[in-house]
Amino acid sequence: MEKSERVENINSLTQKIIAYRMIPFMVAAIMVVFIAITLSSNEEIKVYLILGVLVLFIFAFLECEKRVEKVKERCEFLCEREWCSMLDCSIYVPERGFSDIEFNTFGIIKLDQKYYSNNYFKGTYRGVGVRQADVVVYRDDYKNNNWETTTYFDGRILEFTIKKTTANNVRVFSKGFDSRLDINDSRVDVDRLFFNDNFDVFAPDTSEAQEFLTDKLMGHLQVLQNMNRSIGVRFDERLVYVAINGTRPFEVAGMNDISYNEKIAIMKNEIQIAIDLIEGLGLVAE
């Protein structure tokens, strides 16, 4: 199905949703007006008819809601096809996320007492494998006779699988990014004073990290930080992990609050961020 056809079908289905939700109210309103006009002299019959209208309204409402759910499922499918068209072999599963076992292997944030992940997305762009999911890491502590929730990370994590070697466990955190990891690697300083003021860099091999962090790469990391404020990036051989704290963009509002066209635009914008990361971090094999 072509892009324009998908969007046209979504618009058509959206109109069906609106119509199905209006039908029960329109029918009930017409019947109530009819009863009020034609049977105003017979109160007893009018009461029974109004009760009948109420029953009919409830039945029509439930039946139309069933139809709405089916139409919404079709809209969601078309939305997924639309934003997935930006990446090859793309999969979007709202209920799925990164497992806690997977999360522990990322080496970018420490797993705490409680963990939640959903909105899993997977695809390929120019030979680079992309996986992303929304992630929340938090804990509940009982203090002063009250339970207090502390959230350490609430955002999105992206994993890129690439065909070329990057670096050996170079981690870059913006100032204030709370990874809570026990990092034994050396702190790395680079020639750019501005970069040192805004980022903490750790690596087992200081000279390798300094060589790896080119002006172009540091420039893109600064742009990413300016856009999101709190970020963490880990380069490890043929894997790159990016954690963006403070936003879960794939948590899009429901149909009552947002149109499907707006939803497509929001999701495609977030997928574009993944593509920009691939290009900006130089992850495509030459």
Side-chain angles (χ1 to χ4, degrees):
M1 185 181 294
E2 295 296 328
K3 174 181 177 180
S4 58
E5 186 180 352
R6 279 196 296 267
V7 175
E8 185 177 333
N9 284 343
I10 287 173
N11 290 333
S12 176
L13 290 169
T14 301
Q15 293 303 313
K16 280 189 177 182
I17 290 175
I18 296 171
Y20 281 136
R21 286 187 165 162
M22 290 179 62
I23 286 172
F25 296 96
M26 292 177 62
V27 171
I30 291 170
M31 293 188 68
V32 167
V33 170
F34 174 77
I35 291 168
I37 294 174
T38 61
L39 298 172
S40 58
S41 60
N42 192 325
E43 294 296 328
E44 185 177 352
I45 295 177
K46 186 164 64 175
V47 168
Y48 285 118
L49 286 173
I50 290 175
L51 288 174
V53 170
L54 180 61
V55 172
L56 181 62
F57 169 78
I58 293 173
F59 174 81
F61 178 81
L62 294 176
E63 184 63 29
C64 285
E65 281 301 305
K66 289 181 184 177
R67 293 177 180 269
V68 165
E69 288 304 313
K70 290 181 179 178
V71 174
K72 287 176 70 175
E73 286 177 9
R74 180 62 181 166
C75 281
E76 291 290 339
F77 173 78
L78 292 173
C79 281
E80 290 173 20
R81 291 302 92 201
E82 180 62 17
W83 62 62
C84 285
S85 65
M86 300 175 69
L87 301 176
D88 297 329
C89 307
S90 50
I91 299 170
Y92 174 64
V93 186
E95 300 80 15
R96 178 183 170 185
F98 293 129
S99 70
D100 54 354
I101 297 174
E102 285 180 300
F103 180 82
N104 262 331
T105 66
F106 295 165
I108 199 166
I109 304 167
K110 184 179 179 180
L111 186 67
D112 206 326
Q113 187 185 66
K114 294 192 174 181
Y115 172 82
Y116 175 74
S117 180
N118 67 348
N119 287 317
Y120 178 87
F121 192 92
K122 179 181 179 180
T124 305
Y125 178 78
R126 296 185 62 187
V128 177
V130 183
R131 295 201 305 157
Q132 93 102 53
D134 292 338
V135 170
V136 182
V137 184
Y138 63 104
R139 66 180 297 118
D140 292 329
D141 296 307
Y142 193 71
K143 298 179 181 178
N144 301 322
N145 298 321
N146 288 304
W147 284 101
E148 296 182 4
T149 300
T150 303
T151 302
Y152 294 101
F153 183 86
D154 186 349
R156 66 189 295 193
I157 292 182
L158 300 100
E159 176 198 69
F160 301 103
T161 305
I162 59 183
K163 294 181 178 179
K164 64 177 184 178
T165 301
T166 55
N168 178 25
N169 200 28
V170 173
R171 284 181 276 205
V172 183
F173 301 113
S174 59
K175 297 288 187 181
F177 184 89
D178 187 12
S179 71
R180 295 182 305 111
L181 293 169
D182 297 323
I183 300 176
N184 297 318
D185 294 335
S186 302
R187 169 70 187 269
V188 179
D189 286 324
V190 296
D191 292 337
R192 273 195 181 189
L193 183 60
F194 181 80
F195 192 84
N196 293 329
D197 289 340
N198 286 274
F199 292 92
D200 293 316
V201 181
F202 301 91
D205 187 331
T206 302
S207 59
E208 180 196 28
Q210 290 171 334
E211 183 179 348
F212 173 71
L213 291 169
T214 63
D215 287 346
K216 182 178 180 180
L217 178 55
M218 287 189 290
H220 188 76
L221 289 171
Q222 288 172 353
V223 169
L224 181 63
Q225 183 203 36
N226 292 338
M227 292 173 58
N228 300 279
R229 299 189 65 182
S230 184
I231 63 168
V233 184
R234 177 174 174 243
F235 300 90
D236 190 25
E237 299 296 338
R238 295 175 182 266
L239 290 167
V240 177
Y241 301 99
V242 178
I244 302 175
N245 197 9
T247 177
R248 281 187 283 152
F250 277 69
E251 294 288 355
V252 181
M255 182 59 200
N256 293 333
D257 305 313
I258 192 167
S259 74
Y260 282 102
N261 279 339
E262 290 175 295
K263 183 173 182 177
I264 288 174
I266 290 171
M267 300 287 276
K268 290 179 76 169
N269 180 65
E270 299 311 320
I271 293 168
Q272 186 61 49
I273 289 176
I275 293 173
D276 291 343
L277 281 169
I278 292 171
E279 299 283 3
L281 296 177
L283 304 184
V284 178
E286 298 297 335

